[in-house]
Amino acid sequence: QVKLTRLPLDKSGKDALKPFGYDLFDNSQLSLMPTLNLPVPADYVMGPGDILEVQLFGSQNQTLTLTVGRNGRLNFPQLGPIDVGGKRYSAVKSEIESRVARQITGEQANVSMGETRTINIFVLGAAKYPGSYTVSGLATVTTALFAAGGVDSIGSLRNIQVKRQGETVRSFDLYDLLMRGDSANDIKLQSGDVVFIAAVGPTVALDGEVQRPAIYELKGDES
């Protein structure tokens, strides 16, 4: 008797290569709210729903929890309404602390950020799960991509556009982040922003004695 066992063949050459970078999103989760406890950067733009913690000390000690209203104002009991919507967190902090020292006798203030607001954004185009998402006010482009499950196999890692009120405000190339750690274009999102993933461009397979054999996407005049 002759037994014949058919063994699976390992793919070789171009068939064995995988597109570079797409496995970044293999462990992505749909409910991403990880940025609530991170330090708030000085350039964070205040908006409705943000909460400030104001500690007053001096002649009397108390802590105020103030929420930015829909009109972009804080209702400060001793100072009245303060316009903060659209201003940077560092500017709002300095303004409140200086006004307390100037207008309330014997009092000083220390302003810190409480909870940040949530915003609604859209992830469209070649995303794995395109749609509308609610994320933290500190969310960036990569946060939106992880929330949407990453980039689909037909999508581009090198042409991810942020559209705001119908205009493209930034283009993000994930290769900059993956290869050089450059996150300069991973900008913070605003409510109503659209993260649009374009279709993948020309690709080239690199195999053989190279450090990272894979299928790469070309951009512009790259050879």
Side-chain angles (χ1 to χ4, degrees):
Q1 293 185 354
V2 177
K3 287 187 177 181
L4 179 64
T5 303
R6 186 175 182 178
L7 301 176
L9 296 177
D10 292 334
K11 292 183 179 180
S12 61
K14 187 175 69 173
D15 294 335
L17 298 179
K18 294 182 179 180
F20 174 76
Y22 289 83
D23 55 355
L24 174 67
F25 305 102
D26 285 350
N27 296 320
S28 63
Q29 299 177 357
L30 293 179
S31 56
L32 272 188
M33 296 295 291
T35 52
L36 291 176
N37 295 323
L38 291 180
V40 177
D43 61 352
Y44 176 74
V45 178
M46 303 289 295
D50 283 330
I51 297 177
L52 288 180
E53 301 283 348
V54 182
Q55 182 182 8
L56 298 175
F57 56 94
S59 57
Q60 58 179 344
N61 298 322
Q62 61 175 318
T63 300
L64 303 176
T65 301
L66 307 176
T67 303
V68 182
R70 292 185 178 180
N71 57 1
R73 291 181 176 178
L74 280 176
N75 290 318
F76 201 108
Q78 292 91 331
L79 301 177
I82 301 176
D83 289 321
V84 299
K87 295 181 179 180
R88 296 178 184 272
Y89 166 64
S90 57
V92 172
K93 174 180 170 69
S94 298
E95 179 183 356
I96 294 177
E97 290 177 354
S98 62
R99 285 187 61 175
V100 168
R102 188 172 62 251
Q103 295 180 235
I104 303 179
T105 304
E107 287 288 332
Q108 290 185 319
N110 179 46
V111 178
S112 61
M113 196 76 188
E115 293 184 6
T116 56
R117 67 188 184 277
T118 57
I119 60 175
N120 292 320
I121 59 160
F122 297 90
V123 184
L124 302 175
K128 283 189 177 179
Y129 305 102
S132 173
Y133 291 89
T134 300
V135 295
S136 164
L138 297 173
T140 63
V141 180
T142 51
T143 308
L145 294 177
F146 276 101
V151 179
D152 200 8
S153 58
I154 62 171
S156 171
L157 295 186
R158 311 203 63 185
N159 187 12
I160 301 170
Q161 303 165 13
V162 179
K163 298 178 181 289
R164 187 171 295 158
Q165 297 179 349
E167 296 184 0
T168 301
V169 295
R170 191 67 60 92
S171 292
F172 182 47
D173 186 346
L174 263 174
Y175 278 22
D176 291 338
L177 181 63
L178 293 172
M179 293 183 172
R180 295 184 289 276
D182 182 3
S183 61
N185 288 322
D186 189 19
I187 62 172
K188 291 182 178 62
L189 300 176
Q190 298 181 14
S191 185
D193 280 357
V194 176
V195 178
F196 181 78
I197 304 170
V200 65
T203 57
V204 59
L206 255 66
D207 198 10
E209 300 304 313
V210 292
Q211 294 282 0
R212 290 191 293 256
I215 299 172
Y216 294 91
E217 182 180 355
L218 298 179
K219 183 179 180 181
D221 59 352
E222 290 176 343
S223 64

